[in-house]
Amino acid sequence: MSAAVIPDQLAKRRWWILVANVVAMVAIANLQYGWTQFTTPLTQSLKQTLPVIQVTFTLFVVAQTWPQFLYGWLLEKFGTRLVVSVGALFVAWAWIGSGLAKGLPMLYTSYTIGGVGAGIVYGACVSMGTKWFPDRRGLAVGITAGAYGFGSAFTVIPIANMITGSGIGPTFITFGIIQGVLVLLMAQFMRFPAVGWKPAGWVPNANSAVKMSTREYTPKEMLSTKTFYVLYLMMTMLAFGGMMMTAQMKPLAHTFGHDKLIVFGSVTFLSMALINEQIANGFTRPFWGWISDYIGRYNTMAIAFTIESTGLVLLSIFIKNPYAFMFLSALTYFAWGEIYSLFPSAITDVYGSKNSAKNYGILYTSKGVATIAAAPGAAWLMTTTGSWTPVLLTAAAFDITAAALALFWLKPMVTKQLAAQKSAESGKAAV
């Protein structure tokens, strides 16, 4: 038996494993969603322009996403406990090293190392969700990914207050230690199920809305299908809008003074928007994942992506209004974050669960591709045009295109692929 699996008698513990996933994902969330709070202070402390500082975020996301195939292989080869424990050390160093950084080389290096750690933890948790819950895949992966989306909501105000009171160095270091320790503790509870495990009494494909492959595709076999490339294109387009908002929220709010305008007490419209966004970002993943278990992945994609496109267009129109900024930015997250529950569920439905860590790892690299444009690229476009409108409308155009692709191209393509697979299997059985 591989070091990455455990006996069936421990299967009843899958819900506790899901809890460990949630806590670990909350712990790494700040590396991505808390970053925007440090961007403006970093431009001041390091005396650098915003596009240069945003390269840090791009390096983080590239390190998190592009080697995901390798992270998946390591998890299946050496087991989740060991690999995620190493990842916890990298997660801690991301912010500790950033807090000690006196220049760009240290900042870039630390955040790149953090990307590796976050990639390991994220890959492990999502893969466990797809493997342990084939009967509730959309919901389980949604809860797991939702923790990543929602996690930083707990610390928006504490981080903002600590930056104001103590500076970015102590803030980075303090939260870096906390985040690393939490991941290390949760790693001790993580396991993959045995290959081929399924819940007692569950029958694959009993749900008419969600059809699943009865074949286990290797990464090489997956890459030989057209369906994968449509999924990759769609996820890249969708990731652009969300990663743009994630990286640029502080600079965007600063442009219109929303980071100084008070809602109540000492809470600014930016802080309130960030909290609302992360609540929406966390809720959307289990919500749309649950919906997709009943009406299908691709119908759900079309609905959610259309809502996000609408939200971005409205935001481009009413962005100067602080209340519209606060509400519409949350709406875009509500209709964006679900890609991290729908796409891993979809790729496991189509290509099987055995190699899901590696297969989704390849698809997940699309997030890194999108971030190259979404972080420094979006900052450059805004600086060049002097307006955030072109950035927001570009993201909106990507979203509505992806919605059309989901309904009119991807859905028929997957139906055809699964039908051909079933026909081939029936032919073999008849021989």
Side-chain angles (χ1 to χ4, degrees):
M1 180 178 295
S2 166
V5 301
I6 62 171
D8 267 358
Q9 59 263 33
L10 296 182
K12 62 183 179 180
R13 295 179 59 186
R14 66 176 180 160
W15 291 101
W16 289 110
I17 292 173
L18 183 61
V19 170
N21 286 358
V22 167
V23 175
M25 291 288 255
V26 166
I28 67 170
N30 268 331
L31 274 66
Q32 177 170 314
Y33 295 106
W35 163 254
T36 192
Q37 296 189 82
F38 294 91
T39 53
T40 300
L42 281 169
T43 62
Q44 298 164 353
S45 66
L46 298 181
K47 297 179 174 58
Q48 298 289 339
T49 64
L50 179 62
V52 170
I53 292 298
Q54 291 292 27
V55 169
T56 313
F57 188 73
T58 302
L59 292 172
F60 164 78
V61 177
V62 168
Q64 181 194 30
T65 58
W66 285 11
Q68 267 295 330
F69 177 85
L70 172 61
Y71 304 154
W73 179 82
L74 290 171
L75 289 163
E76 293 176 356
K77 178 69 174 179
F78 298 105
T80 51
R81 177 189 290 181
L82 174 62
V83 178
V84 176
S85 293
V86 173
L89 302 179
F90 294 167
V91 167
W93 182 251
W95 275 20
I96 294 173
S98 296
L100 298 173
K102 302 301 181 184
L104 290 174
M106 182 68 162
L107 179 67
Y108 287 170
T109 300
S110 298
Y111 236 79
T112 301
I113 291 172
V116 174
I120 289 171
V121 176
Y122 192 99
C125 293
V126 169
S127 185
M128 280 186 284
T130 63
K131 290 175 182 290
W132 277 111
F133 294 88
D135 52 335
R136 298 181 178 90
R137 184 168 287 150
L139 176 63
V141 176
I143 291 172
T144 301
Y148 186 63
F150 177 76
S152 63
F154 296 109
T155 54
V156 168
I157 293 176
I159 286 176
N161 289 341
M162 193 168 183
I163 290 174
T164 301
S166 304
I168 57 175
T171 306
F172 267 135
I173 293 170
T174 300
F175 283 91
I177 293 171
I178 293 170
Q179 289 157 188
V181 169
L182 280 174
V183 174
L184 183 62
L185 290 174
M186 293 305 103
Q188 313 314 308
F189 300 96
M190 296 180 179
R191 301 289 187 279
F192 283 156
V195 175
W197 176 87
K198 62 181 181 180
W202 176 70
V203 180
N205 292 320
N207 181 349
S208 60
V210 179
K211 295 302 180 185
M212 301 179 186
S213 173
T214 54
R215 174 183 170 184
E216 300 289 352
Y217 286 76
T218 65
K220 183 178 180 181
E221 290 171 333
M222 178 186 71
L223 291 171
S224 69
T225 67
K226 295 178 182 179
T227 304
F228 169 77
Y229 296 97
V230 178
L231 283 164
Y232 196 95
L233 174 63
M234 288 172 56
M235 190 165 178
T236 301
M237 290 191 294
L238 266 299
F240 172 83
M243 298 309 293
M244 178 275 295
M245 291 293 289
T246 299
Q248 308 295 352
M249 274 298 293
K250 171 69 174 179
L252 194 155
H254 183 72
T255 300
F256 300 100
H258 301 327
D259 59 335
K260 303 296 184 184
L261 196 59
I262 301 297
V263 184
F264 60 85
S266 61
V267 179
T268 66
F269 274 92
L270 172 62
S271 293
M272 202 67 224
L274 290 172
I275 293 171
N276 291 341
E277 285 172 0
Q278 301 321 318
I279 292 173
N281 196 20
F283 177 71
T284 184
R285 304 179 190 209
F287 174 77
W288 289 112
W290 172 72
I291 292 292
S292 76
D293 285 338
Y294 289 93
I295 70 171
R297 312 292 184 216
Y298 315 111
N299 294 336
T300 306
M301 287 179 181
I303 296 169
F305 301 166
T306 300
I307 293 173
E308 184 186 356
S309 180
T310 302
L312 285 166
V313 171
L314 292 174
L315 182 61
S316 72
I317 297 171
F318 300 108
I319 194 168
K320 293 181 180 180
N321 184 298
Y323 292 96
F325 167 78
M326 186 171 62
F327 171 75
L328 291 172
S329 61
L331 178 63
T332 61
Y333 270 81
F334 174 72
W336 167 68
E338 87 291 329
I339 68 173
Y340 300 112
S341 58
L342 298 184
F343 280 94
S345 297
I347 205 164
T348 307
D349 293 343
V350 177
Y351 298 108
S353 63
K354 180 180 178 181
N355 298 302
S356 61
K358 295 191 286 280
N359 288 342
Y360 179 60
I362 296 172
L363 178 64
Y364 194 58
T365 62
S366 61
K367 178 181 174 183
V369 174
T371 305
I372 292 174
W380 173 85
L381 181 58
M382 183 272 170
T383 302
T384 302
T385 63
S387 171
W388 287 103
T389 299
V391 178
L392 295 170
L393 292 182
T394 298
F398 283 159
D399 291 344
I400 198 65
T401 302
L405 288 175
L407 199 58
F408 301 114
W409 193 2
L410 182 60
K411 183 179 178 180
M413 183 177 284
V414 171
T415 300
K416 182 178 179 181
Q417 180 175 322
L418 294 181
Q421 176 185 308
K422 184 177 180 180
S423 177
E425 291 172 352
S426 297
K428 289 180 180 179
V431 174

